[in-house]
Amino acid sequence: MCLGVLLLSPAESWLEDRHPVEAVTQAEVGVSFQERFPDPNLAHAVYLELYPEKTLFPERVNLEAPVSAEQLATIITLADTPDRPITDLTGIQQLSHLKTLHAEGNEGGRIQQLAPLASMKSLEHLTLRNEFIQDLTPLAKLTQLQSLDLSFNRITSVQALQELTQLQTLRLTGNQVTDFRPLEALPAVQAKDTNRFEALAQTIQAEETKTTGETSQLVVYTPEGEQITANVASSQGEVQAGNTVRWLQPGDQMVQYRDSETQIVAFLQQNVVGEKLVTKQVRSVLSANVQPISILNAKGELIKQDSCVMMAGDSDAAKDVNEASIKAALQKVSELVPDINQHRGTIR
């Protein structure tokens, strides 16, 4: 008869002594990690939270092992890892005393639905960055939240956050929100501190438009209800009444909206087709290098100082402006009331 001897390394022997509870639960008939958590990455994160030393021996992680509700209730903090991003939160509500959850999506997977979080009222710190989240309704009752980071998602409305009056920090950069009025009463917003509230790079893609008189508009409201003014490169377009933008150049264009504290920055992106236009807004850019056109009579006397201008230089913009201005001035001369003193006049 041949007798075998199993030798354990000091580290492995220590592990066996460290968690006798696991040996007991292995023999119990119960629900396994993989049954409780359909997403294997979530199951893996929960397993390592209960048995952190298994990170030294990943081959010993056993998601088929049973786990009790009592064990899950001991977990206070949970985080995924870049190589195992959580993609499905189903079952996470079993962590009834969870206070901190950190998940960050990548090419390996991203979270889309927050419904499993709806009953987790013990949560105080929640980070869900770079995911595919759109609907924040499940967070509406999580009134113990103190910090919330939802940067780089697909959020268009923050209405669900208006009752989270314990929020001390809120980050919403990289979404598609244009109305921040529901956030006015939150401590994070009232602090007027970019370290506590930040909503940069809200990017909205508008439908294609033309340079032939069509205007574009994006209304962005601060938490206080003020409308943020549009800013656009003057060579590309002009801001008109009602915060609308008329495009002067074809191509992929962008309007920027920035509040005075630089806590909110939004962009309207739009593809513009049509011909390049020249307007008063373009001419005003180089106002120091322009001269108004004067209309004189035959005696050289000034009849009218016209609003049309001539721009100095040989640039394409100057040539376009000057050509349009001369045509406009000549048209106005032809419309003057006939007068002997104005015959055979000129413009300069």
Side-chain angles (χ1 to χ4, degrees):
M1 178 181 296
C2 180
L3 297 177
V5 178
L6 176 63
L7 298 178
L8 296 177
S9 69
E12 291 175 319
S13 179
W14 174 81
L15 286 177
E16 293 299 321
D17 295 335
R18 177 71 176 80
H19 275 290
V21 174
E22 183 181 13
V24 174
T25 56
Q26 291 282 6
E28 294 176 352
V29 177
V31 184
S32 68
F33 284 89
Q34 64 184 14
E35 290 174 314
R36 290 184 181 274
F37 307 103
D39 178 7
N41 290 343
L42 175 56
H44 191 273
V46 172
Y47 187 97
L48 290 183
E49 196 62 39
L50 289 174
Y51 307 108
E53 69 283 350
K54 291 295 181 72
T55 56
L56 300 174
F57 304 98
E59 70 280 0
R60 298 189 63 185
V61 172
N62 181 14
L63 299 184
E64 295 180 356
V67 59
S68 68
E70 290 76 12
Q71 286 177 291
L72 296 179
T74 65
I75 296 177
I76 304 299
T77 301
L78 188 70
D80 64 2
T81 58
D83 60 325
R84 291 181 178 273
I86 295 173
T87 60
D88 184 355
L89 293 171
T90 300
I92 199 170
Q93 63 271 24
Q94 298 170 90
L95 310 183
S96 56
H97 292 85
L98 189 68
K99 293 183 180 295
T100 301
L101 173 61
H102 184 111
E104 188 158 355
N106 56 39
E107 292 76 8
R110 292 180 170 87
I111 296 168
Q112 298 187 47
Q113 301 296 327
L114 299 182
L117 298 179
S119 62
M120 301 189 68
K121 297 183 179 180
S122 62
L123 273 175
E124 297 177 357
H125 307 284
L126 178 60
T127 297
L128 299 171
R129 293 171 55 91
N130 201 29
E131 309 287 1
F132 284 164
I133 297 166
Q134 292 180 291
D135 183 16
L136 300 183
T137 304
L139 305 183
K141 302 298 183 182
L142 306 187
T143 54
Q144 297 304 308
L145 278 175
Q146 298 176 28
S147 65
L148 179 60
D149 188 344
L150 297 170
S151 301
F152 305 105
N153 278 280
R154 298 178 175 181
I155 300 164
T156 58
S157 171
V158 292
Q159 187 72 35
L161 306 182
Q162 64 179 344
E163 300 298 329
L164 305 185
T165 55
Q166 300 300 313
L167 271 182
Q168 301 299 318
T169 60
L170 175 60
R171 302 193 182 282
L172 295 168
T173 290
N175 284 284
Q176 301 167 28
V177 181
T178 57
D179 188 353
F180 294 90
R181 288 176 292 183
L183 307 179
E184 181 180 10
L186 303 187
V189 174
Q190 292 184 340
K192 301 293 183 183
D193 184 348
T194 54
N195 291 319
R196 295 180 59 181
F197 172 58
E198 183 182 78
L200 308 179
Q202 307 298 307
T203 304
I204 290 83
Q205 184 68 45
E207 295 181 357
E208 184 178 271
T209 189
K210 301 178 180 179
T211 59
T212 54
E214 296 183 17
T215 58
S216 302
Q217 183 181 33
L218 177 65
V219 179
V220 183
Y221 288 106
T222 67
E224 296 75 26
E226 298 177 1
Q227 187 172 334
I228 302 177
T229 304
N231 292 288
V232 62
S234 56
S235 61
Q236 304 300 313
E238 60 180 6
V239 179
Q240 300 183 326
N243 222 24
T244 60
V245 175
R246 182 191 181 200
W247 294 113
L248 308 176
Q249 302 277 4
D252 293 327
Q253 306 294 2
M254 179 182 293
V255 189
Q256 183 188 81
Y257 301 78
R258 182 191 298 268
D259 72 327
S260 57
E261 283 84 20
T262 318
Q263 291 180 296
I264 300 172
V265 178
F267 298 100
L268 173 68
Q269 294 181 333
Q270 194 165 36
N271 181 46
V272 181
V273 297
E275 298 296 325
K276 182 174 71 173
L277 302 182
V278 178
T279 70
K280 181 180 178 181
Q281 181 72 11
V282 175
R283 295 195 297 270
S284 67
V285 179
L286 299 176
S287 58
N289 297 319
V290 300
Q291 293 293 330
I293 292 178
S294 300
I295 300 176
L296 310 177
N297 63 14
K299 298 179 181 180
E301 298 169 338
L302 179 66
I303 297 175
K304 184 178 181 181
Q305 187 82 49
D306 199 79
S307 58
C308 299
V309 296
M310 297 291 288
M311 181 183 293
D314 296 324
S315 66
D316 290 340
K319 292 177 181 178
D320 290 340
V321 168
N322 294 342
E323 181 180 353
S325 295
I326 292 172
K327 289 181 179 179
L330 289 173
Q331 177 64 30
K332 291 182 180 181
V333 169
S334 68
E335 295 172 356
L336 290 175
V337 177
D339 186 294
I340 189 64
N341 292 325
Q342 295 175 359
H343 286 177
R344 300 175 64 183
T346 185
I347 62 173
R348 71 177 183 189

